[in-house]
């Protein structure tokens, strides 16, 4: 549940970089996603045709502040997005490092506080840092979106121990892995670890077959969630025979 809204899919899909509008439309449908993200700047560039694809998808739109590098820029973009899309949801990005696209934690917290006070329901793109997470919650966020790896890198979950610690530290806060996912197996691993959803874009948009990859990610997220709910067996240091030796016949 995200801000009191229950979704039927735990996959959130980005809408940038697709080869054609029709492939974007088909990929959204194949993924089964309930939520699609869109950059205000891209929407403004592509106009009516792109907006129709978003509307026809039937998905909830999560606008984002991609490309913003300051509090003022992110807050202004969020207000424009709310006016354009008619939603209080906003994926908040405030980039602090040009090469890694790592979020600026100080500006992120400040922008999150301003937007929360303005009535936004903020989805902050952050790192796996626990203190930053605490500050974002204090600022009014009810969802955290830690990165798996740098945006568009496809490296998957780089810091597994830190992500596990974050999941354990915030047991009642929805956590969404955002950025860096490159393969369905990586998305499934995130869900097996107990994360609530996965947000990705490049791994689908840049695939040889984006529609097929979108379908693969949709199924991987479902499989990972089912595995988490069923309870994964813990790893063991030594082998344990699956066939019991008690009760077997003793052969002379």
């Amino acid at each position: 549940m995200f801000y009191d809204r229950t979704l039927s899919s735990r996959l959130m899909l980005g809408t940038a970089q697709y080869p054609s509008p029709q492939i974007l439309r088909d990929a959204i449908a194949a993924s089964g996603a309930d939520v699609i993200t869109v950059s205000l700047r891209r929407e403004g560039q592509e106009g009516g045709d792109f907006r129709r694809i978003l509307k026809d998808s039937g998905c909830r739109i999560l606008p984002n502040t991609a490309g913003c590098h300051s509090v003022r820029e992110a807050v202004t973009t969020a207000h424009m997005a709310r006016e354009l899309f008619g939603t209080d949801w906003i994926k908040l990005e405030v980039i602090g490092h040009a090469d890694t696209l790592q979020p600026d934690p100080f500006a992120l917290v400040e922008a999150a506080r301003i937007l929360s006070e303005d009535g936004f329901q903020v989805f902050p793109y952050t790192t796996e840092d626990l203190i930053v997470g605490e500050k974002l919650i204090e600022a009014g966020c009810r969802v955290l979106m830690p990165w798996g790896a740098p945006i568009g890198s496809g490296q998957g979950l780089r810091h597994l121990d830190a992500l596990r610690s974050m999941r354990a530290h915030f047991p009642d806060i929805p956590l969404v892995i955002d950025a860096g996912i490159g393969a369905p197996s990586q998305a499934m691993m995130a869900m097996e670890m107990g994360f609530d959803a996965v947000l990705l874009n490049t791994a689908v948009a840049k695939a040889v077959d984006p529609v097929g990859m979108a379908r693969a990610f949709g199924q991987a997220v479902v499989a990972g969630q089912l595995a988490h709910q069923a309870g994964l067996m813990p790893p063991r240091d030594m082998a344990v025979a699956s066939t019991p030796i008690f009760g077997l016949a003793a052969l002379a």
Side-chain angles (χ1 to χ4, degrees):
M1 182 174 291
F2 301 95
Y3 289 102
D4 300 321
R5 182 182 176 91
T6 301
L7 304 177
S8 63
S9 171
R10 294 175 183 268
L11 177 63
M12 300 179 179
L13 193 64
T15 56
Q17 306 182 69
Y18 287 82
S20 72
Q22 186 59 50
I23 290 177
L24 169 59
R25 184 180 288 108
D26 292 343
I28 293 172
S31 73
D34 260 358
V35 174
I36 52 177
T37 66
V38 57
S39 166
L40 179 66
R41 293 175 177 179
R42 179 168 183 265
E43 199 285 338
Q45 292 171 353
E46 301 197 8
D49 290 342
F50 182 60
R51 197 179 307 176
R52 275 193 294 275
I53 293 174
L54 303 181
K55 183 178 180 180
D56 292 345
S57 72
C59 296
R60 185 175 183 108
I61 296 174
L62 175 61
N64 65 57
T65 62
C68 294
H69 293 261
S70 69
V71 173
R72 181 178 180 181
E73 191 177 13
V75 169
T76 299
T77 301
H79 278 278
M80 293 172 63
R82 179 161 66 180
E83 182 176 343
L84 182 62
F85 293 109
T87 178
D88 290 327
W89 277 22
I90 190 73
K91 179 191 169 189
L92 179 61
E93 296 183 27
V94 187
I95 300 303
H97 192 274
D99 292 331
T100 65
L101 301 182
Q102 180 173 330
D104 178 338
F106 308 101
L108 181 67
V109 171
E110 182 180 351
R113 179 173 290 107
I114 292 171
L115 292 174
S116 294
E117 290 174 353
D118 285 344
F120 283 89
Q121 297 176 327
V122 181
F123 293 69
Y125 164 62
T126 182
T127 65
E128 60 279 280
D129 188 286
L130 301 183
I131 304 305
V132 176
E134 292 280 9
K135 296 297 183 182
L136 287 167
I137 292 170
E138 291 174 7
C141 298
R142 291 165 56 190
V143 176
L144 298 175
M145 303 182 76
W147 65 349
I151 293 172
S153 69
Q155 296 177 20
L157 308 179
R158 290 202 308 177
H159 303 135
L160 287 173
D161 288 342
L163 289 171
R164 289 191 181 100
S165 295
M166 191 173 199
R167 178 68 284 178
H169 190 73
F170 299 106
D172 300 320
I173 298 294
L175 299 181
V176 181
I177 292 293
D178 177 15
I181 295 294
S185 58
Q186 297 164 357
M188 181 160 40
M189 180 183 294
M191 301 307 298
E192 289 175 348
M193 290 168 60
F195 284 86
D196 296 279
V198 171
L199 192 156
L200 54 94
N201 187 162
T202 307
V204 171
K206 292 299 186 179
V208 174
D209 176 6
V211 177
M213 188 63 74
R215 184 175 295 108
F217 269 107
Q219 294 177 5
V221 168
V222 171
Q225 174 65 14
L226 289 174
H228 176 70
Q229 291 175 337
L232 296 167
M233 67 172 288
R236 296 164 173 165
D237 293 331
M238 299 181 66
V240 178
S242 58
T243 302
I245 61 174
F246 297 103
L248 295 180
L251 302 178

